[in-house]
Amino acid sequence: MARWSRAIAGLGMALALVAAAEPDAPARPGVDAPELAALGRYPIGVADTVFVQRDQLYPLPDGSDPKPADRRLAVKIWYPAAAGAGGGTTYRTALPGEDGRPVAFTVPGLATPAAVTARGRFPLVILAHGYSNTPELLSWLGENLASKGYVVVAPAFADPSITIRTPEAQAGPLARRPLDIVFVAAEAQRRARAGEGPLAVADPGATAVIGYSMGGYGALAAAGGRLGTSLGPATRGVLTPYVADGAQRRVLRVNGLKAVVAIAPPSNLRDRVLWAEDGMASITAPTLFIVGSQDRVVGYDPGVRTLFERASATRRYLLTFRDAGHSIALVGAPAEMRCNFWNLDWFEDAVWRKDRLLAVQAHFITAFLDRYVKGDATRADYLDGLVPDSSAGSWANSPAGRYAGYSPGPPASTIWKGFQPSRRAGLLFEALGQFP
């Protein structure tokens, strides 16, 4: 009997360990996350819909001349839900494997499909994924922001496989990313004004755009960044009217834009310069740039740092993860994507823990959007006046040992506000310019 009792107890402990090891939704930060990464007070809802833009040009991967056709974008919407929503969900998506064929996987989520919306009016965020990515890979940010009172709209751009490394294939994402973001923002704002679905609680006059990689390029262009003239022929004429000297260049801009977040945005692609020389100077919305100092895909300096320095018409910030590469914004690698280097490299960084990368970004994106979209002046202490090197701050009377509390910021501490004293190394945060 004693042996049976010990066996049952052992089995129970094993099952508990297995349950504890199962992955939590990436939107929920760990215990060593900075302060503002924590989930907000709202339950999270999620809905799927389709936005259709008539008679659009798309440069097909085969190099043929673009022909007008309806542009259908599947869209995922995360939003603040009414009390009582819960249960979570499982996202199902896929990425191109090394042979170009899709590799399917799942991502756990906190959102409740079709949940009732919370009462209120919430800022609108357009969330744009990278080349060959999908919205589900940014679910950590969509869910996290929805819990804090944002309506997040994430289109699926249906790019060609990233394994097709030809100029003809790359022309489609280059052409459509800025145009799609502007369209999705306008359509989401229209549905908000019309009171349609979960977008009925979105405020079209308080809009932000967030983009990662190719989505970061699109976000900066949709914020008014002036595109280089070489993108006209590179997109087989699709972007010709919208480049720096194009007749419709002023049309390529999101209305009601209050803030922009560009995570690892490219400044060139295959030695093709994407921006006019003064292209960043046309952006007037406050902008947060995020990048790894070892990003060998889009470059750091020159690269994202150059874009940050040239955005001279607005208040802008640069968050740098020292020694991180390009894979900083997607969820951690699901089990299905850990079988070979190609699949794993979509997700994981060589130096940084993925949950740490996401938590630090969630902290700063929250502070930035709250400050410039919601107008919460108290968030300025999390952004302005920080010592550039996260390791350089001091806190004279900080508790000793494994202290889990957060730095209160100046005047008591020059450790970045909201960071735990022993969890602050490896980062740079810089600010330039004034908010108009």
Side-chain angles (χ1 to χ4, degrees):
M1 190 69 171
R3 285 200 303 268
W4 275 108
S5 297
R6 287 194 296 271
I8 291 171
L11 178 60
M13 182 176 294
L15 290 173
L17 288 172
V18 170
E22 288 188 2
D24 194 5
R28 192 192 307 279
V31 295
D32 66 346
E35 181 183 5
L36 299 185
L39 292 169
R41 66 186 183 90
Y42 293 99
I44 305 159
V46 63
D48 292 284
T49 188
V50 175
F51 288 2
V52 180
Q53 190 177 21
R54 305 297 181 190
D55 297 327
Q56 296 299 296
L57 295 175
Y58 187 96
L60 294 172
D62 63 7
S64 59
D65 291 337
K67 299 289 193 300
D70 291 350
R71 178 81 171 145
R72 300 178 63 85
L73 297 174
V75 174
K76 193 167 293 290
I77 304 172
W78 289 285
Y79 55 91
T89 191
T90 298
Y91 302 111
R92 304 180 189 281
T93 187
L95 286 177
E98 193 167 9
D99 61 1
R101 291 182 295 182
V103 180
F105 57 91
T106 61
V107 177
L110 300 174
T112 301
V116 175
T117 56
R119 292 187 177 183
R121 202 72 162 164
F122 305 102
L124 175 66
V125 176
I126 310 302
L127 181 58
H129 66 70
Y131 200 125
S132 277
N133 297 176
T134 67
E136 291 80 1
L137 305 184
L138 296 173
S139 60
W140 66 274
L141 185 54
E143 291 190 342
N144 192 283
L145 290 177
S147 78
K148 296 167 178 172
Y150 292 89
V151 177
V152 182
V153 176
F157 299 107
D159 299 325
S161 171
I162 200 169
T163 59
I164 310 173
R165 297 182 178 275
T166 65
E168 290 78 15
Q170 293 168 348
L174 269 179
R176 291 308 318 180
R177 201 62 106 246
L179 297 171
D180 287 346
I181 290 172
V182 171
F183 162 67
V184 167
E187 178 63 9
Q189 291 168 342
R190 184 195 69 77
R191 295 188 185 200
R193 287 188 289 268
E196 296 184 18
L199 288 168
V201 297
D203 180 359
T207 299
V209 176
I210 302 174
Y212 165 59
S213 194
M214 183 64 76
Y217 149 76
L220 292 173
R226 295 173 65 237
L227 298 172
T229 55
S230 67
L231 289 185
T235 59
R236 301 202 283 283
V238 174
L239 283 182
T240 297
Y242 306 101
V243 297
D245 55 357
Q248 298 185 58
R249 64 186 183 279
R250 291 184 177 85
V251 176
L252 196 64
R253 187 185 292 264
V254 171
N255 292 323
L257 186 65
K258 302 298 184 184
V260 184
V261 180
I263 306 172
S267 55
N268 61 76
L269 185 66
R270 284 181 172 264
D271 298 324
R272 181 185 296 112
V273 176
L274 302 183
W275 307 101
E277 183 66 27
D278 60 347
M280 292 296 99
S282 299
I283 297 174
T284 57
T287 304
L288 170 62
F289 294 88
I290 302 174
V291 68
S293 69
Q294 296 299 316
D295 191 325
R296 302 185 190 283
V297 175
V298 300
Y300 180 62
D301 187 12
V304 177
R305 172 173 283 281
T306 308
L307 299 179
F308 159 71
E309 291 171 348
R310 291 180 176 177
S312 57
T314 191
R315 182 67 166 170
R316 69 272 196 201
Y317 302 91
L318 176 64
L319 170 63
T320 301
F321 290 92
R322 283 179 165 169
D323 295 323
H326 190 66
S327 302
I328 62 174
L330 305 186
V331 298
E336 303 94 327
M337 301 298 284
R338 293 181 174 272
C339 59
N340 61 43
F341 181 82
W342 171 278
N343 291 347
L344 183 74
D345 198 50
W346 274 108
F347 300 90
E348 300 297 337
D349 187 73
V351 174
W352 285 77
R353 281 173 25 213
K354 177 46 71 77
D355 66 314
R356 182 66 176 167
L357 284 166
L358 301 188
V360 172
Q361 290 175 84
H363 170 87
F364 278 108
I365 291 172
T366 298
F368 178 71
L369 295 185
D370 284 357
R371 171 69 183 88
Y372 290 105
V373 181
K374 290 185 177 180
D376 184 351
T378 66
R379 297 306 200 203
D381 291 342
Y382 295 89
L383 299 167
D384 297 318
L386 305 186
V387 294
D389 187 337
S390 62
S391 300
S394 62
W395 185 0
N397 299 313
S398 62
R402 293 178 179 172
Y403 179 59
Y406 303 116
S407 166
S413 169
T414 54
I415 293 174
W416 291 357
K417 182 175 174 64
F419 275 73
Q420 295 154 320
S422 65
R423 291 291 189 272
R424 58 188 171 108
L427 300 163
L428 296 172
F429 194 77
E430 301 162 78
L432 289 174
Q434 300 296 320
F435 182 42

